[in-house]
Every structure is written in structure tokens, then in C-alpha cells.
Amino acid sequence: MPPRFFPFFLFVATATAQTVMLDPVVVTGQLDQARETILPSLGATSFLIDADQIQNQPEADDAPFNQVLLRAPGVAEDSAANGDLHVRGEHANLQYRINGVLLPEGITGFGLELDPHFVSSMQLVTGSLPAQYGFRTAGVVDIQTKSGTLDPGGDISLDGGSFGTVRPSFAAGGSAGTLSYFVDGSYDQNDLGIENPTPGAAPVHDDTEQSKAFAYVSDILDRTSRLNFLLGASDSRYQVPDTPGLPAGTSPDGDPWLPGSFDSARLNENQSEENYYAVATYQKSAGDLNYQISAFGRDSGVHFTPDPVGDLYFNGVASDVDRVLTSAGLQGDGSYAVGDRHTLRGGMTLLDESVSADSTTTVFPVNGDGDPTGPAYPVVNDSELHGCFAGLYLQDEWNVTPRVTFNYGARYDGFASSFDDENQLSPRLNAIFQATDATTLHAGYARYFTPPPVEDVPPGAVAEFDGTSNASATDRDDPVKAERSNYFDAGISQKIAPGFYAGLDCYYKRAKNQLDDGLFGQTLILSAFNYAKGEVDGEELTASFTRGGFSTYANLAHSVAKGEDWNSAQFLFDPADLAYVQDHWIFLDHDQALTGSGGAAYLWQDAGGSTRLYGDILHGSGLRADATAPDGSTIPNGGTVPPYTTFNVGAERVLKAGAGHSLKLRLDVINLTDKSYELRNGSGVGVNAAQYGMRRGFYGDLSWSF
């Protein structure tokens, strides 16, 4: 853990030394309920995934976190390297919260960093978000953690199977007086760390090692207050997979390895990622007043190392990129009930981020035709970026009648950085109408202000590569700007019969300076840019049915996401594409017209334990790819990769072992039909390689609970 956090931890340890004679279970439950009144998602669209639903999914809590979220409506799959997800036609733009506290974003996002082992329940909140949610607004992943008071005990598990997978893990929770804790840790080793760039079953040079740890500590100070502490850490190492059979490039230094023996399957590119975060929260519940105040810090780093010989020969460029993001901030939220009809809520967020971006890029000098004219040499570029985010909000929940509620307010956001300085006042309004005991309607409007992620802003070093093998076709590099948008959402949820629910939601977004991200060059580090105009719209249909031990769900989403005119970081793009997009609307590269998911599970109990059978399905109509116009020119993102559907099944048997112990045996089959399907074909805006989904895999899990 970085030394700068040690005084912070010492403060927490001192504060938690108090003990009070209380019933921890009762007080914990009351404070959890009070916390929910501070930040309700009134009027937004929420999809709940609890711990039992996670067990009904392939690999359960051994699955990567982004795979759990893929079972929510409107969530499309992309690269596993960054845990990328696309929600409602957006690239990333997600915020993650644990127990109501915002986690500062990292360089690689949270799709792989978080671990489902510590999740008690979580919601994906989308649509017209209430005023407490700012900055990242495509969706909110709101996680409630397990605790030692309500979830005592633990387990030790070993999961393994196809692609050389070995995944040991542990979790434990407990309490002593008013102090409770929950900790977990896991290790994952396999040879499919990043999507295979070929359709074959076995990737080349794709090993990974990933370690994760999480701790939650809570101390009840009295009947109305507590201090919570969160700590998370992850360390991941990836080999970047190779594509055999690619033609060699040109180099004045001659062939690498042996003369005439260039082999793209022997390239040795690697990427390492480290993430650490810590949060301390004080919560108080005093009658009609509830509030919590949090301090948080985070370190996030990524280091891409090239094949110093092979990359230079193959691409003419070998880039060593080391990027570190350091964040610290404060968050405060509160609610106050004013009579029976009004609840006022307000709060603030302050976040300071610093990015150290160091790179050494080895290139060749070239002539006007692009031919090398001399030996390779390094270009060193070390830069610092800084950003400060601030947000304030105030809103009122007005219960007009027992069946009609308005949640209205506004937030003010400001963003100041090394490259941009903007602010905005954003009104929010949501209306909820309980038409009948079985029918609920909602509609809302939100004005959004989305600053660019500081860690993804490309460094302005374009001119340094003029006259080299890494030269851009243009030196134009307008700064990345904050996105401003108007968002409309409306929907209906219906209880059709006991245990049978269905919902329909529609949304429309119109944006200025639509933000997007892409992979440009060799590294797996995203670069941000803007479209001058953006437009996203879609519909989501969801249904679920539960009766006894049987449960099933289905989601189907349609989305269209478009943009026009790249007006920042133009050096990233091909000049022909840049000219085309200047006066043509194109699909965003992460646009997927149809996204579907569904599953069913059955759990039955017997004297010896329990048995669970489950299966699910994922469908995508295909992310974007370039297309060819009748005149032979390229239409950026004008086509799609082929649609795909995958099936997954599994079974679990839990055997009672007495004294609260149990033995669990589990078998999962991923991609049952062994379908070979493309997520990317190597073309499209910001796509640097082809990517194929995982082929059929068999996984077994053995765990001991105590």
C-alpha cells in the first residue's frame, strides 16, 4: 500500500478502538436502512443483482466483475483487457460506488479490479439520474458489501479448468462487540488474459496473473452512528496476445532474431496494472436527519512494455508507456425529512487527480515517402496532467399524493485541468406515478456535464514525431472537452402475476462534445476524444419470474449511438476518416443495435444440503467495424461484425458438514456450443486489433464454508 495512506489508516484504527454495549445486528440493519434514504435512485431505472443471483450465473463469484454486469439490460461486451462494458450506447462513462461512496476512477476502470466475492447486492442505475449523481452518467454501479455482522463466516475455494485456469480464493467475516469485518482475496492464473486476436481455441502469448484483495471494517460508535473503512488492492500482469502469420514490416536494422525468420507469433509485448484504493466514512442517523461523510484516496498505474526488437521491425515503432493516476477526495451526502411530504437531500464531491505519463518511443527517421533513412533512436516524453472535479447538489422528494412523487433539483459541476476549464448548472426532474398496485410509470429529464477522464487524455507530443516512423498525418490536437447533454427517459414496470414482473424503458440523449475513447497504437491504454455532436437513443425490455426455487429472467435492448465531427485529438485519426466524419454522422464504435441476455435456475433443498441447476444466454448483434462505400472509400464504423449467441450451463451441489460447515462442488461450461465469434475485427475507430470471444471452457470449483 502506498506510504501516503498510512496516516489515514492510523486515524481509522484509532477511531475504531471505541466499544459500546449495543446489539450490533439490530443497529447495523437500522443504519443500513438509514443509508438507503440518503441516496435513493428515485425515478431512475435500476436493475438489482443480489448474491443469490450471482450464484445462478456461470462461475458465480469467481467470474470477472464485468461478466456479472453483462447480465443486466443494455450492457454490451467489449475487451476484457480493460473490463470494458458499454451501457446504453456509451463507451465506459460508468461510476462505481461502494456503500454509497464514489470510488475514484482508475486508468483501467473497475471491470476487472473489483471482486464479486464481497458483493451482498448491487444495482445498475441508468436513465434520468437524480441530482446526487454527477461526472460519470451512463450508469451507476452501486454495490452493497457483505459485513461480518450480517454475513458471518467464510469460505476457502479452489476453482480451475480450461485455458490453464487456477483460481484459489478466500473470504471471511466476523464481529467482536461493535467491531465487524469482512475480508476476501483471490488469485487468478490462466492463459486467456486478453481476447484472442484469432478464431482458434488456443491463443498465443496470452498468459495472465491477477491478484485481488478487499477489506471492510465497521465500528458502531453509538446507536445512531458508525465508522466504516474500505480497502481494496489489485495487481495484474498480462501478455499481449500475438497474431501468427502477419507480414513483416521494414527496418534498416535488418531482420530481428535470425535473418529472414520474422515471426509475428514470437512478439513479446506485456502490460502490468496496479490499483489501490481506501475509503473512510462516518455515518450519522438522528431522527429525520441522515448523513455520511467520506474521505478517499486511490493509486492506479499501468505499464506497457513493447518487444524492443520485434515491434520496431514489425511496426516501425516500439513504445514503452508508464502511466500513474493518483486521486484523493471528499464526499458528503445528507437527507432531511420535512413533514410527511418532503425530503430534502444535498451534498458535495471534491476530487483531485494527478497523472504522470512517461513514455519512451523508439522510432526511425524517415523521408517524405516514409522510408527509413537511418538507425532507430528513442524519443522520451514525460508529462504531467492535473484535474480537479467539484460538484454540489440539492433536491427535494415531494410526495404530492400517496401515488405521485416528484424528485426535482439541480447540481453544479466544475472541472479545472491542465487542458480544460469548464462548469455547468444541471437541472434534474423525475416523476413517479403508482397508477395501480401493479403498475408504476416514471419519466424524467436530466442535464449532464461529463468531464473528460484525465487519465485517458492523450499527451500533446505530436510534433516531436514529425519526420519519424511514428509521425501523425496531422499535427492538429485540439484539447479534449467536457461533454454536455440533455437526457430524457420514460418507462413502465408491471407486476403481471405473483413473482412475475416486466418493464419497458425508453431513452434519448442529445450531446455537445460527445466523449468517446479508443485504442490507438500498440498499447492497451485508452485515449479520449470528442465528437462535436452526439445522439443516443434506445429501448430496454426486461422480465423476471420467481416461484419457490425456480427463477428466470430475460433482457432485450435496442440502441443507436451516433456522432459527427471529431473536434479534439485529431492527430489520432486517418485524414480521410477525419474529412468524412467532419460532415457525416457515423455510428460510435461501441454501438450495438441489439443486446440480449437471459437465464433460468432451479434450487432445491434436501436433508443433506442443496442442489442448483442453472443456465444463461448472451446475444449481441455485433459491435461496429469499417465498411466500404460503392466508390471504394472507407466509411468509418459503417459496418458491424457478425451477430453471436452463446450458451452457458452449470450445476452445483452443497453438502452439509455439521456445525455450520458445508462443502460445495460446482461445474460450469462456458460457451457450450464452442461458438467462434468476433467482438472486433481490427477495423473501426479506435480499434487496434481483432478480438474473439472465449471458446468453450470447463470449470470446476471446490469450496469449504465455515
Side-chain angles (χ1 to χ4, degrees), residues 529-618:
F529 60 94
N530 297 98
Y531 289 84
K533 294 184 288 185
E535 190 171 79
V536 183
D537 64 86
E539 306 81 33
E540 293 173 353
L541 179 64
T542 183
S544 64
F545 176 73
T546 302
R547 176 171 294 178
F550 177 75
S551 63
T552 185
Y553 76 95
N555 303 309
L556 182 64
H558 170 258
S559 178
V560 178
K562 293 184 176 182
E564 181 184 46
D565 186 16
W566 295 317
N567 62 350
S568 65
Q570 294 90 340
F571 72 93
L572 296 171
F573 306 104
D574 177 88
D577 291 350
L578 189 64
Y580 181 89
V581 175
Q582 186 173 6
D583 54 8
H584 289 82
W585 286 83
I586 67 168
F587 293 100
L588 305 188
D589 74 280
H590 49 268
D591 174 77
Q592 182 164 267
L594 290 176
T595 302
S597 61
Y602 188 73
L603 173 68
W604 65 90
Q605 309 281 345
D606 56 53
S610 65
T611 301
R612 187 192 309 260
L613 300 176
Y614 49 90
D616 69 12
I617 180 175
L618 296 175

Side-chain angles (χ1 to χ4, degrees), residues 261-275:
S261 67
F262 175 81
D263 183 358
S264 59
R266 295 173 60 190
L267 292 174
N268 185 25
E269 299 173 338
N270 297 273
Q271 184 156 304
S272 61
E273 302 171 4
E274 294 185 40
N275 292 279

